[in-house]
Amino acid sequence: MSGWISAKADTPVLRFYRPSRGVHFYIPTPSYTPGATVSVGGPGDNFEGVGWYEPSSGSTIYEIQNPNSLEIMLTTSSAELYSLERAGWNYVTSTMKSGGSIPVYRLYCSGSGHFFTTNAAEKNALVAAGWSYEKIGFYASKAGIPANKIA
């Protein structure tokens, strides 16, 4: 879940859900080809598709993790990073970039943590289900693809 190795143009960021913790996490995987067998993640993790495609350059995205819930938070704000570190979260990495024109929406739900999606319909459905829409978290070079749409 850490040590991202991205940096090439249009790197797929794979989205997983870990039912045992009730959290989503995201792994940039430059070698992933749509339709290929996914061998990252862990036992019991559900592959949900490509969350978004990361550009090779742009603003820095910081990854921070809650050591208790294992929730992952992604932000381009160094002030938010420092605030979460003061609250006990752990800085993981800052190798991912924000760039392009595709918004990656950031939502939050108590008990489930933060969630990121490029899909406006998914964002709206989660808001209707009680999630809080926080803001556009950052930008991607291309929109994500749900697992059931990957050929």
Side-chain angles (χ1 to χ4, degrees), residues 100-135:
S101 60
I102 306 299
V104 180
Y105 305 109
R106 184 172 109 180
L107 298 104
Y108 178 78
C109 182
S110 178
S112 296
H114 285 90
F115 180 76
F116 300 86
T117 183
T118 59
N119 186 311
E122 184 174 41
K123 172 193 74 131
N124 294 337
L126 288 170
V127 169
W131 286 66
S132 298
Y133 170 63
E134 292 189 334
K135 63 180 184 175

Side-chain angles (χ1 to χ4, degrees), residues 39-93:
S39 60
V40 294
D45 293 340
N46 297 325
F47 173 61
E48 295 187 338
V50 176
W52 62 89
Y53 286 83
E54 175 200 2
S56 59
S57 62
S59 302
T60 298
I61 296 174
Y62 304 102
E63 178 186 1
I64 312 108
Q65 184 176 43
N66 182 312
N68 300 311
S69 68
L70 302 182
E71 173 192 351
I72 295 295
M73 172 64 166
L74 305 173
T75 183
T76 57
S77 168
S78 58
E80 191 168 40
L81 164 68
Y82 300 139
S83 175
L84 288 169
E85 284 182 315
R86 284 191 299 278
W89 289 53
N90 298 320
Y91 166 77
V92 178
T93 190

